[in-house]
Amino acid sequence: EVQLQASGGGLVQTGGSLTLSCLVSGFTFSNRAMSWLRQAPGKELEWVSTIYTDGSMPHYAGSIKGRFTISRDNAKNTVYLQMNSLKSEDTAVYYCARDWTPVVSRLVRGQGTLVTVSS
């Protein structure tokens, strides 16, 4: 059974930082690209970032580029999202997902973790 368990969300003030983690099981983690997605209240699911199997060439959405950093530890089956300089518009439920596709709703993803940025 594929499982993706995101954690690390919480309440943070504008300008603050959080690091999200996602522990996965049920598939060979080191063989798959991993992505972070988010869904803000009342909005559609949005792609945030993708990292490839060896950690090279991470890709970021324009709205978070330069503030967020994706990384992975293949020995720990874990993908991370370091979020700095958080803004109120970053408030969302964040999901980790396996692979990447332009139709992000089709990605296998976990339960998500809520990030709330207060001004």
Side-chain angles (χ1 to χ4, degrees):
E1 179 186 5
V2 173
Q3 292 190 338
L4 303 98
Q5 183 61 55
S7 61
L11 177 64
V12 63
Q13 291 187 331
T14 300
S17 298
L18 278 176
T19 299
L20 306 183
S21 301
C22 178
L23 176 64
V24 310
S25 61
F27 62 94
T28 304
F29 177 76
S30 59
N31 289 349
R32 309 299 285 263
M34 295 297 298
S35 298
W36 284 97
L37 315 175
R38 69 183 181 183
Q39 187 164 25
K43 296 191 176 181
E44 293 187 351
L45 189 64
E46 172 189 26
W47 171 75
V48 174
S49 183
T50 296
I51 188 167
Y52 293 102
T53 56
D54 63 354
S56 64
M57 298 179 60
H59 294 266
Y60 300 99
S63 60
I64 58 90
K65 198 168 187 177
R67 299 188 296 119
F68 291 10
T69 302
I70 190 171
S71 61
R72 65 190 294 160
D73 186 336
N74 287 342
K76 295 182 178 180
N77 282 12
T78 302
V79 60
Y80 304 95
L81 188 68
Q82 171 69 43
M83 307 185 294
N84 298 325
S85 303
L86 284 161
K87 305 176 181 180
S88 57
E89 53 262 43
D90 296 317
T91 294
V93 177
Y94 285 73
Y95 302 90
C96 63
R98 186 177 68 180
D99 300 318
W100 177 85
T101 174
V103 185
V104 293
S105 60
R106 294 181 179 174
L107 293 172
V108 174
R109 64 183 188 270
Q111 290 282 358
T113 186
L114 176 62
V115 173
T116 303
V117 184
S118 66
S119 56

